[in-house]
Amino acid sequence: MKTLSVDQKLALDAIKPQDEPHIRLDPGKCRACKARPCLQACPAHLYTLSPETGEVTFEHAGCLECGTCLALCPEDLDWSYPAGGFGVQYRHG
Amino acid sequence: MDSDEQKVDLIVVGAGLAGLSCAYEAARSGLSVLLLERGDHPGAKNVSGGRIYIEPVRDLMPAKFWQDAPLERPVTSESLVLMGPSSSVTLVFSSESMRADPPSSYTILRSRFDRWFGEQVEASGAFVVPQAVATGLLRDGDRIAGVRAGEEDLEADVVVAADGALSFLAREAGLAPGLAPAGHALGIKEVIALDPGRIEDRLALAPGQGAARLFLGDLTRSMVGGGFLYSNRDSISLGLVVSLEDLGGRPDDADGSHALLDAFKERPEIRPLVEGGETVEYSAHLIPELPVGGLPSRVTDNLLVVGDAAGLVIYHGITVRGMDLAMASGVLAARACVKAREAGDFSASALSKYDRMLAESFVMRDVERHAAAPGFLARRRLYETYPREICDLLEDLFRVGPDGKERLYPAAWKRVRRTFLSMEGLKDLWAARKL
């Protein structure tokens, strides 16, 4: 069986993305952050470090709402659940 | 509209097993109940490994409940697989008692199960409101008077926080500490569709029967955690659980959490089992890992905390048990609310009947009996040393190389002395006495 990339796996999930991100990064805090555990830990691999700008970016559309980034972030991450009816809707669970 | 007309006895936040069980019991006892669920339906946001132990909670539900429940397969085969970097040892256990009727544990897919459970809750008279996120507690002065759901204020005598591992409500009520890596483990999983005949052939199962297989060792790359494989009716749940603290402390160049699952899936112990299957879902969820017994207090005036939100999970070896505890805590919370309503008193002292019932139930008895497990399981050698050493010991036993074979006893003794009879090994053994 072929190995799927994380993006391909997320594409299998029923996700109803909200326009507004439910998680917001503070570029200043992320720039100053040494640990950046979000980059490795996010199971959906939604946090990336731009090699050009050195900025951490977050793509909210594939979020599985697990809370890993919230628990690991050394800063006060602005994190909330997507509004009702949005976000991941598991069909198996 | 007059607020008294809208006010309900109970608002339950979160349609997981704790919330559903609480709403079900409360509605069946005549309380007016509103169950808020942020997903499209109960189960839409829920993930478990998963395997549920029925025995402890069988009598908390009507007999018909378990007859009709859409569970997957009764577990009749248990395996433990110790993994070295390139070898493994598998121990398979099965017994007559596991094939007894009614079965004591089942594999489960939560979206399917919880959705059905939600229908039973509605039939019992509770209002289940999907797509509703509780954004905070509603207060009347200092008193908790309900919850806020976006623009709407919803009033109730009692709020039950069944909002899962992240429990924003328990924290807002001052009962839960801030989220911290040490307080959680991350579970990630793929559901792989496979036809029932292949599942049964590959796992050596009789038709309809199920397997639970746990994995310890190289797959978690020295992190505290393990892997699991459960056979569902027409799919396999394959995943792993790792300590969030360990995951957060990994170096920048380490593979991401998702890559651990990919590597696990590529192992020769797994690959032939899922070959030809089709991944149909990828999921992730946190598991609470609070100090033993979860929150120090689960009750305040007008509010109770149940299930994962209350940290009610038990670590047994590498399995994490929470679903039966969630169900029991939900039912007991509902019973405490029924008593509180009879007395017209919703203070912490009246609601603490929930704590007392929990203490007398299997929930806290098991929590206390297994109190030493988390400390023992934090010993890293369980993940990075012993599985590999046991594999190597068996390699010594079975392998014949080009130069023939070493004498067994000296080779084995050297290994046992170095690994198990070392100071570290003896300390681990000494720590195990409390299990």
Side-chain angles (χ1 to χ4, degrees):
Chain A
M1 110 183 252
K2 64 178 188 295
T3 304
L4 301 172
S5 69
V6 189
D7 287 346
Q8 286 170 322
K9 286 187 197 176
L10 293 174
L12 301 171
D13 289 349
I15 300 182
K16 300 200 288 181
Q18 186 173 270
D19 288 342
E20 287 293 299
H22 58 287
I23 301 171
R24 287 169 196 278
L25 311 189
D26 179 330
K29 286 180 184 170
C30 295
R31 212 175 295 127
C33 181
K34 293 274 185 288
R36 292 174 182 161
C38 52
L39 298 175
Q40 307 297 334
C42 172
H45 196 50
L46 299 175
Y47 289 85
T48 44
L49 185 66
S50 159
E52 292 89 36
T53 63
E55 299 274 326
V56 178
T57 57
F58 171 69
E59 170 54 54
H60 74 282
C63 181
L64 302 176
E65 301 157 38
C66 65
T68 295
C69 55
L70 175 63
L72 284 177
C73 183
E75 298 292 335
D76 204 5
L77 183 63
D78 180 0
W79 197 108
S80 58
Y81 286 123
F86 288 97
V88 67
Q89 310 290 336
Y90 289 119
R91 289 159 299 158
H92 301 273
Chain B
M1 204 186 283
D2 183 54
S3 70
D4 273 359
E5 283 177 38
Q6 292 187 332
K7 184 173 168 184
V8 293
D9 294 323
L10 202 60
I11 292 178
V12 181
V13 178
L17 289 178
L20 288 161
S21 302
C22 183
Y24 188 54
E25 177 74 12
R28 291 199 304 145
S29 309
L31 267 55
S32 56
V33 181
L34 204 55
L35 172 59
L36 305 183
E37 164 53 42
R38 64 190 187 86
D40 281 352
H41 57 81
K45 301 284 184 180
N46 304 349
V47 181
S48 288
R51 176 226 192 120
I52 183 168
Y53 294 92
I54 306 290
E55 282 315 302
V57 288
R58 190 184 298 282
D59 295 340
L60 294 179
M61 296 287 148
K64 194 168 159 34
F65 181 94
W66 294 117
Q67 285 160 17
D68 297 348
L71 293 158
E72 295 298 315
R73 290 168 180 260
V75 176
T76 57
S77 166
E78 311 256 10
S79 316
L80 175 65
V81 184
L82 301 178
M83 284 183 161
S86 58
S87 54
S88 66
V89 179
T90 303
L91 192 67
V92 183
F93 174 74
S94 88
S95 77
E96 275 305 316
S97 73
M98 293 170 77
R99 290 183 289 272
D101 196 41
S104 63
S105 99
Y106 285 87
T107 55
I108 183 172
L109 287 168
R110 294 287 304 283
S111 187
R112 195 180 283 178
F113 182 86
D114 293 10
R115 188 173 201 160
W116 170 85
F117 196 170
E119 290 161 9
Q120 314 312 305
V121 171
E122 279 198 306
S124 74
F127 289 97
V128 181
V129 188
Q131 304 189 338
V133 181
T135 46
L137 294 170
L138 178 69
R139 288 186 189 264
D140 177 8
D142 282 346
R143 191 179 64 87
I144 292 168
V147 300
R148 287 180 294 119
E151 302 290 295
E152 276 197 87
D153 289 348
L154 305 169
E155 291 183 49
D157 285 325
V158 184
V159 173
V160 176
D163 50 343
L166 303 183
S167 191
F168 292 98
L169 291 187
R171 257 179 297 142
E172 191 178 333
L175 295 176
L179 277 184
H184 293 89
L186 170 64
I188 58 181
K189 178 173 95 163
E190 278 186 39
V191 176
I192 301 164
L194 198 60
D195 71 72
R198 277 187 175 179
I199 293 173
E200 288 152 8
D201 285 349
R202 291 176 183 187
L203 293 164
L205 297 167
Q209 298 192 336
R213 204 166 275 200
L214 299 169
F215 302 82
L216 198 64
D218 194 62
L219 74 153
T220 57
R221 307 277 191 266
S222 297
M223 293 187 284
V224 172
F228 59 83
L229 181 150
Y230 296 112
S231 60
N232 305 311
R233 285 187 216 186
D234 50 11
S235 65
I236 281 179
S237 291
L238 180 74
L240 46 85
V241 173
V242 285
S243 144
L244 214 49
E245 206 172 12
D246 286 356
L247 196 59
R250 302 188 87 208
D252 274 355
D253 58 352
D255 287 338
S257 55
H258 50 88
L260 289 174
L261 181 53
D262 288 338
F264 177 42
K265 197 171 154 189
E266 282 302 314
R267 292 273 312 208
E269 296 83 356
I270 299 295
R271 204 180 155 80
L273 299 177
V274 298
E275 191 69 53
E278 189 189 346
T279 300
V280 291
E281 192 165 80
Y282 177 60
S283 55
H285 212 81
L286 290 194
I287 302 162
E289 209 172 352
L290 293 171
V292 171
L295 300 183
S297 169
R298 302 169 207 94
V299 178
T300 186
D301 292 341
N302 306 93
L303 182 135
L304 298 168
V305 191
V306 296
D308 275 6
L312 292 174
V313 297
I314 297 175
Y315 287 73
H316 291 297
I318 55 170
T319 66
V320 192
R321 177 178 150 211
M323 287 185 265
D324 58 325
L325 310 180
M327 291 186 81
S329 69
V331 168
L332 298 179
R335 289 179 184 168
C337 291
V338 170
K339 290 283 177 208
R341 184 166 170 269
E342 282 166 13
D345 179 0
F346 304 101
S347 66
S349 112
L351 293 176
S352 65
K353 180 155 181 63
Y354 162 54
D355 263 341
R356 288 196 297 281
M357 287 191 288
L358 212 52
E360 287 160 14
S361 74
F362 78 91
V363 176
M364 295 315 287
R365 275 205 311 273
D366 273 10
V367 162
E368 277 153 30
R369 283 189 285 205
H370 300 281
F376 179 75
L377 294 169
R379 296 179 163 259
R380 202 161 300 277
R381 290 163 59 85
L382 294 180
Y383 312 92
E384 69 184 7
T385 310
Y386 301 129
R388 188 190 67 228
E389 289 289 333
I390 292 169
C391 289
D392 289 352
L393 187 68
L394 284 150
E395 184 132 25
D396 290 347
L397 183 67
F398 290 115
R399 187 165 183 276
V400 179
D403 296 333
K405 198 167 171 64
E406 294 286 329
R407 275 186 60 213
L408 285 180
Y409 187 82
W413 174 242
K414 198 174 141 196
R415 211 175 272 292
V416 166
R417 202 179 51 197
R418 190 183 64 208
T419 307
F420 300 96
L421 301 180
S422 65
M423 191 50 95
E424 288 301 313
L426 291 171
K427 272 196 219 163
D428 291 340
L429 186 64
W430 181 244
R433 80 197 185 281
K434 293 201 172 147
L435 291 179

